[in-house]
Structure formats: C-alpha cells, structure tokens
Amino acid sequence: MTYMTPFTTWVDLKDGTIPNATMVQTQRLSDMRGLFADRAAEAVLSVQNPVIYRVYNATNNPKDEGQLLYSTTVIYPGKVGDEYFMTKGHYHAKGDRAELYYCLQGEGYLLLQTPGGEINAQAMAPGAASYVPPYWGHRTVNTGPGNFVFLAVFPADAGYDYKTIAERGFAALIVARNGQAQVVPNPKYAARR
Ligand code: PAN
Ligand code: ZN
C-alpha cells in the first residue's frame, strides 16, 4: 500500500481565486452558445464576448472512485437580456454522484432539476452549504451586483454530462423582474418524452 500525501490548497477569500490552481477554466459567452434564453440579447453581447465565469481547480487528484476533487467557481455579475450570468450546468456522467457547494461571496442560486424536469432552486449567500443530491442536474446563477463565489467538492469519478442540458435546457430560468431575481418556467424547455 502506498499512501497519498495529504495537502492543503489555499483559497484567496478576497476574491475566491486559488493562486496555486492546477487549472483555471475561463468561460466566455462564446463558450455558451444557445444556453441563454434570449438569442437576440446574446447576439448583441457577443460583440463584447464577456467572461461569464472562471473555475479554479484545486487539485490534480486521480479521478478514481473514493477520491475527491474540489474547485472554486467565480461567476461575474451581468445579464444576457434579463437572464443573469450563470454556469453551463450539467448532470454528472455517473448520475448517482452527489456534490457540496459552499458559498464564499456574493449572492445567487443553485438551480437543480431532475431528469424528468422537476425544478428546485436554493438561494445562496456566504455560509450557505448547499447539497446537490444524486441524479440532480445543477447550474449556478449570479443574481447579485458583485461576483458570486462558491467552493465545490465532488467525487473525482463523477464526470460531466453537458449534452443533456445543451440539448434540452433547464426547465426554469432565473431572470430579473423589477430588479428582483425570479425563477420562471423556461418556455423553450424540451421535456424528455
Ligand atoms: C462545479 C462546476 C462549476 C462550473 O465544479 O463544474 O461550477 O459549472 P459547469 O461545469 O456547469 O460549467 C461542479 O458542479 N462540478 O461537478
Ligand atoms: Zn457537478
């Protein structure tokens, strides 16, 4: 038996970045084509092509059963039309793998849905430890005026299924109505038949 060496990764609490991240993924609007509901607003904003969010990966842990991965996500403030900046969203490729999100900064929502299209929205602010149960697809949405930052901890073998969300969308959108965040049905959601 060879034992893995314990380690600590530091998160900068000022901005949620991980200075020694093993990988940083930057997602611009152009990396999220078709995920926001308002295509005309997307087209207008695509000239600017803003960074929507970044993921700072804390480890290079092997993607083996029993291992964990963790990362911080920083979603910048903004909207495409009236829909707030958000992550792409995914199901885990191994659907039974759960996940924990811990909010460090800002305000937003963890939006979840079952494969059948049942929706759940968890409001998050610093201190919120929000649980993604097995099988729920998940996306996060920045509804505040500043960055929305959270730490995610998940099984290293969970994997990502982005295709289902890209094809069907989410059953609900989080939009600004009279300056307030509201969870509304997505008229374009393609329910599983
Ligand atoms: C998170 C997400 C991260 C970015 O670490 O991967 O917030 O969101 P997308 O992966 O949907 O672009 C997680 O849920 N990992 O499983
Ligand atoms: Zn996940």
Side-chain angles (χ1 to χ4, degrees):
M1 179 78 181
T2 51
Y3 294 98
M4 202 175 147
T5 307
F7 60 90
T8 296
T9 306
W10 291 88
V11 176
D12 185 335
L13 291 176
K14 283 196 308 296
D15 57 11
T17 62
I18 296 180
N20 293 317
T22 54
M23 184 173 53
V24 182
Q25 289 147 298
T26 299
Q27 304 288 3
R28 292 181 174 272
L29 185 60
S30 57
D31 301 307
M32 301 180 71
R33 284 215 175 87
L35 292 180
F36 289 96
D38 186 340
R39 298 298 162 88
E42 183 194 324
V44 171
L45 199 59
S46 68
V47 178
Q48 219 177 302
N49 197 21
V51 175
I52 310 290
Y53 63 101
R54 286 199 171 90
V55 178
Y56 297 84
N57 292 283
T59 84
N60 271 329
N61 288 349
K63 295 187 172 58
D64 297 339
E65 188 176 354
Q67 293 275 2
L68 297 173
L69 296 178
Y70 51 108
S71 59
T72 57
T73 300
V74 178
I75 310 180
Y76 301 101
K79 292 195 282 290
V80 179
D82 61 4
E83 192 177 16
Y84 294 100
F85 282 9
M86 62 187 184
T87 58
K88 291 178 180 175
H90 59 271
Y91 291 90
H92 289 152
K94 287 199 174 163
D96 65 353
R97 295 324 198 232
E99 180 159 8
L100 183 78
Y101 282 1
Y102 184 68
C103 183
L104 301 173
Q105 206 177 89
E107 54 195 272
Y109 280 88
L110 165 61
L111 182 64
L112 309 104
Q113 77 177 14
T114 63
E118 184 191 334
I119 278 286
N120 188 288
Q122 298 292 316
M124 294 184 75
S130 302
Y131 187 57
V132 179
Y135 300 109
W136 286 78
H138 43 288
R139 144 180 300 167
T140 40
V141 183
N142 182 357
T143 57
N147 292 354
F148 175 52
V149 181
F150 60 91
L151 174 81
V153 185
F154 51 101
D157 63 352
Y160 300 91
D161 164 18
Y162 290 106
K163 194 163 166 271
T164 305
I165 305 283
E167 286 174 359
R168 297 173 192 275
F170 256 77
L173 311 173
I174 301 192
V175 297
R177 292 283 149 83
N178 305 317
Q180 295 274 30
Q182 264 189 32
V183 184
V184 299
N186 177 6
K188 291 190 195 152
Y189 175 64
R192 190 165 286 185
R193 281 170 296 161

